């Protein structure tokens, strides 16, 4: 049950769910949420390996996850600012409305 | 004990993630995302990373999720009309791609560690993953990366302000952005 490969499989499943959301959703808010799910599932992978290695290598993994969270926070701030700008331009949060550059 | 905790957290995260990406209303999506983050924090505790679990709750739930809800409330959601319904057949390619991704990742895990059915080895160092251990490692081994991340957050902060700034004549900018003004045609300007 609780084994490192199972944790890795769980995080692969969560990553796939997030990828499905990014591809299939048109509401850009939900696309951003799916991106957050993908980012967090990568943290889960890194922590599973950190638990396996332990020691200094494991702590390296914890530090990497902390940096990942900082990047995720920056991404969320920029992404949501883009959502606000998008909504101001197109009066919608439907990503398919952005057809300005359509040939 | 650990098995039960793992199963509960795994079920919670999987169900919450699946529900989050299939909701029509982003507010429901945000609340399912809350369940996902909390379940993930539980998994982090299980993986002997209490400090990272605490940071996960503080950053993701306390900052990112609140930011999401804040933006949803900021946009006049009643006027959006929601997402036009997309049939199941329309999302089938996405489901297929995600399934292929899962199959590839699962095969990689299975081929390299499929035979490992033992629970993780007990911790050799009881302080592994504690705040002191992680902080020492972070500040002694990676001071430059830490400074760069603070710079990144600063840049993101400034970028978010610039992106959401309303272009307007009352700003008194020396070079009015004509393209942006034309793009907001018929939207009623800054009345909302």
């Amino acid at each position: 049950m609780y084994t490192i490969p199972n944790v890795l499989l769980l995080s692969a499943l969560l990553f796939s769910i997030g990828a499905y959301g990014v591809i299939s959703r048109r509401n850009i808010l939900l696309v951003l949420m799916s991106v957050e799910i993908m980012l967090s599932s990568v943290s889960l992978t890194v922590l599973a390996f950190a638990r396996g290695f332990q020691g200094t290598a494991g702590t390296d993994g914890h530090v990497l996850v902390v940096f990942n969270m900082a990047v995720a926070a920056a991404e969320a701030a920029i992404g949501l600012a883009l959502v606000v700008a998008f909504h101001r331009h197109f009066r919608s949060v439907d990503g398919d409305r952005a057809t300005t550059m359509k040939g | 004990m650990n098995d039960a905790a793992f199963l509960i957290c795994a079920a919670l995260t999987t169900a919450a993630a699946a529900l989050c990406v299939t909701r029509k209303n982003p507010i429901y999506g945000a609340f399912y995302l809350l369940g996902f983050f909390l379940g993930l924090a539980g998994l982090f505790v299980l993986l002997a990373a209490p400090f990272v679990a605490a940071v996960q709750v503080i950053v993701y739930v306390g900052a990112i999720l609140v930011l999401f809800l804040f933006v949803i409330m900021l946009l006049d959601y009643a006027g959006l009309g929601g997402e036009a319904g997309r049939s199941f057949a329309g999302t089938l390619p996405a489901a297929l791609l995600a399934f292929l991704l899962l199959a590839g990742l699962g095969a990689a895990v299975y081929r390299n560690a499929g035979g490992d059915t033992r629970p993780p080895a007990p911790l050799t160092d009881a302080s592994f993953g504690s705040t002191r251990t992680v902080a020492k490692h972070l500040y002694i081994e990676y001071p430059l990366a830490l400074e760069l991340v603070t710079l990144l957050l600063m840049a993101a902060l400034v970028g978010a302000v610039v992106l959401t700034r309303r272009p307007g004549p009352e700003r008194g900018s020396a070079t009015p952005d004509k393209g942006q003004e034309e793009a907001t045609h018929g939207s009623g300007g800054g009345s909302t």
Side-chain angles (χ1 to χ4, degrees):
Chain A
M1 267 305 137
Y2 169 51
T3 63
I4 299 292
N6 279 352
V7 179
L8 294 177
L9 284 178
L10 172 66
S11 93
L13 176 64
L14 294 174
F15 190 85
S16 306
I17 291 173
Y20 168 77
V22 169
I23 301 168
S24 70
R25 298 317 303 260
R26 286 191 295 184
N27 188 327
I28 49 179
L29 279 163
L30 280 159
V31 170
L32 269 181
M33 288 182 198
S34 306
V35 170
E36 294 295 335
I37 289 177
M38 291 171 79
L39 273 169
S40 307
S41 69
V42 171
S43 295
L44 185 60
T45 306
V46 174
L47 284 181
F49 280 118
R51 178 70 179 81
F53 285 125
Q54 300 191 28
T56 314
T59 311
D60 270 339
H62 288 194
V63 170
L64 182 60
V65 171
V66 171
F67 284 139
N68 182 22
M69 283 175 188
V71 173
E75 177 262 344
I78 293 292
L80 288 169
L82 283 173
V83 169
V84 172
F86 186 95
H87 182 255
R88 191 170 292 153
H89 271 263
F90 295 104
R91 291 281 127 200
S92 165
V93 290
D94 186 345
D96 286 1
R97 293 272 188 94
T99 54
T100 312
M101 289 178 74
K102 197 171 180 177
Chain B
M1 168 58 195
N2 278 347
D3 284 355
F6 175 69
L7 274 184
I8 291 170
C9 288
L12 175 63
T13 45
T14 311
L19 285 167
C20 173
V21 300
T22 51
R23 289 309 94 184
K24 266 199 164 54
N25 191 334
I27 293 180
Y28 293 143
F31 280 102
Y32 282 117
L33 206 61
L34 171 69
F36 171 76
F37 287 145
L38 291 182
L40 208 62
L43 284 171
F44 288 0
V45 171
L46 198 61
L47 288 168
F51 171 71
V52 178
V55 174
Q56 159 92 8
V57 171
I58 292 169
V59 171
Y60 274 97
V61 180
I64 294 179
L65 201 60
V66 170
L67 204 61
F68 266 106
L69 286 172
F70 201 75
V71 167
I72 292 169
M73 301 298 174
L74 190 69
L75 311 177
D76 52 337
Y77 203 74
L80 299 178
E83 189 177 10
R86 177 172 279 193
S87 63
F88 178 69
T91 63
L92 206 57
L96 197 68
L97 267 173
F99 183 76
L100 281 179
L101 183 65
L102 176 60
L105 291 172
V109 172
Y110 188 78
R111 275 187 54 179
N112 290 297
D116 186 5
T117 53
R118 293 163 296 134
L123 288 175
T124 52
D125 179 8
S127 70
F128 176 70
S130 68
T131 308
R132 174 189 290 267
T133 310
V134 177
K136 262 183 158 172
H137 203 70
L138 182 62
Y139 281 97
I140 292 172
E141 301 287 331
Y142 301 101
L144 182 64
L146 190 73
E147 294 301 326
L148 287 177
V149 159
T150 59
L151 210 62
L152 174 77
L153 284 172
M154 188 69 204
L157 188 70
V158 175
V161 171
V162 169
L163 281 172
T164 51
R165 200 170 55 98
R166 244 176 241 283
E170 77 272 16
R171 279 297 195 186
S173 68
T175 54
D177 195 344
K178 274 190 176 171
Q180 229 167 356
E181 278 178 0
E182 282 167 15
T184 56
H185 51 83
S187 62
S191 60
T192 49

